[in-house]
Amino acid sequence: MPDNIYMKPILYSYRRCPYAMRARMALKYADIEYEHREIELRNKPQSMLAVSPKGTVPILLIDKLVIDQSLAIMRWAIAQSDPDGWGNIDNEIAREWIEKNDDQFKVLLDQYKYPNRHPELDPEVVLDEALQFMLLPMEKALQHSPYLLGSQMTLVDIAIFPFIRQFSMVNQNVFDQLPIPAIKKWLANHLKSELFNAVMQKHPVWMD
Ligand SMILES: N[C@@H](CCC(=O)N[C@@H](CS)C(=O)NCC(=O)O)C(=O)O
C-alpha cells in the first residue's frame, strides 16, 4: 500500500486486560477511530508478534509507528485531542500515582487474585498491604476531591481505574466491607460511565 494512503490506526487488544482498557478509554475519549483487533492471549496473531515481539496488549499501530505500552498509547491519544484536559496535570504527581499502581500495586493485585500461585503468602497480609500501600492513600485523596488529582478527571484516574475494578472483583464481598467509601463511589461512577461501557463491547477474535 503506498505511504500516502491514510489508514486507520490498528489496536491489538484484549477485552478484559486492564492495560488495554485504559488505552481504549483514552482512544475513545480522544475520538480516535481505529480498527479493533481482539486477540486471545493464548493464541496471539503473528501480525501482532511481528510488530511487537514482546507479545503484550495493547499495541497501537499508526502507519509505521508502533506504540506497545498502554500509557504511551494514552499519552499519544490525548496529544491528538484532549477536550476535558486529562493531560493538564502535574506530571511528577501523575507519574508517582501511576508507578505506584503499575509496579507494587499490580504485584499485590496478582498475589491477591491468584493465591494458589502464592502458597507462601498469607492472603490477609496481602490484602492489608494493598490497603496500606494503595487503597488508603487513594481513599485519602478521594475524600478531598472527586478525582485523584482534584476536581477534574485526568489521565491518572483512567490509568488506575481498571486495576481497582479488577481488585474489587476478586471478592466483591470482601471489597464491600473495606473502609473505603470514597473509592467505592469513584469506582461506581467509572463503572457506569458511558466511556467505560463503550470500550467494553465484545468483538470477535481477529484472525490474521
Ligand atoms: N506494560 C504493558 C503491560 C501490558 C500487559 O502486561 N498486558 C497483558 C494482558 S493484561 C499481556 O498482554 N500479557 C501477555 C500474555 O499474557 O501473554 C502495558 O502497559 O501495555
Side-chain angles (χ1 to χ4, degrees):
M1 173 108 19
D3 281 351
N4 58 353
I5 292 189
Y6 173 76
M7 286 177 65
K8 267 199 252 180
I10 293 170
L11 183 76
Y12 289 96
S13 183
Y14 180 65
R15 184 171 176 271
R16 288 186 295 133
C17 168
Y19 300 98
M21 272 176 212
R22 68 190 186 184
R24 297 197 303 269
M25 287 176 83
L27 290 167
K28 171 87 187 152
Y29 161 74
D31 205 15
I32 310 274
E33 268 193 61
Y34 60 88
E35 177 187 332
H36 185 114
R37 294 188 177 177
E38 183 72 15
I39 69 144
E40 291 171 324
L41 293 174
R42 277 161 210 240
N43 187 18
K44 294 170 189 161
Q46 282 308 318
S47 63
M48 168 183 144
L49 296 171
V51 294
S52 179
K54 75 177 169 53
T56 64
V57 284
I59 298 171
L60 186 67
L61 269 178
I62 310 137
D63 199 0
K64 291 192 178 105
L65 175 67
V66 179
I67 311 182
D68 62 6
Q69 289 293 337
S70 56
L71 271 181
I73 296 173
M74 294 184 84
R75 291 215 177 264
W76 179 85
I78 65 171
Q80 313 309 306
S81 167
D82 187 3
D84 299 333
W86 282 15
N88 298 341
I89 47 182
D90 179 324
N91 275 318
E92 189 52 29
I93 298 176
R95 195 183 55 76
E96 276 173 27
W97 272 115
I98 295 172
E99 271 184 19
K100 221 171 153 57
N101 180 74
D102 288 20
D103 298 345
Q104 207 167 330
F105 180 65
K106 173 70 168 101
V107 171
L108 291 166
L109 171 58
D110 287 347
Q111 292 173 349
Y112 179 58
K113 192 170 172 198
Y114 304 108
N116 299 345
R117 293 184 197 165
H118 303 279
E120 75 289 3
L121 298 175
D122 178 345
E124 295 279 322
V125 173
V126 172
L127 175 61
D128 190 55
E129 280 182 35
L131 252 185
Q132 302 302 331
F133 179 77
M134 188 77 190
L135 299 174
L136 292 179
M138 279 182 70
E139 176 67 19
K140 201 168 162 204
L142 293 170
Q143 295 261 341
H144 285 100
S145 57
Y147 299 102
L148 285 167
L149 301 192
S151 57
Q152 301 288 333
M153 177 146 66
T154 70
L155 179 82
V156 175
D157 298 280
I158 303 302
I160 293 178
F161 147 69
F163 296 84
I164 303 301
R165 170 184 178 270
Q166 199 173 76
F167 189 91
S168 76
M169 289 167 60
V170 173
N171 186 331
Q172 193 68 53
N173 287 337
V174 168
F175 188 79
D176 289 346
Q177 303 301 318
L178 295 176
I180 48 174
I183 293 186
K184 289 176 191 168
K185 190 168 163 209
W186 172 89
L187 178 63
N189 284 336
H190 283 297
L191 288 174
K192 67 179 185 221
S193 73
E194 248 182 69
L195 180 63
F196 174 60
N197 288 291
V199 305
M200 290 306 280
Q201 281 165 5
K202 291 192 175 159
H203 292 264
V205 173
W206 161 264
M207 304 280 177
D208 274 333

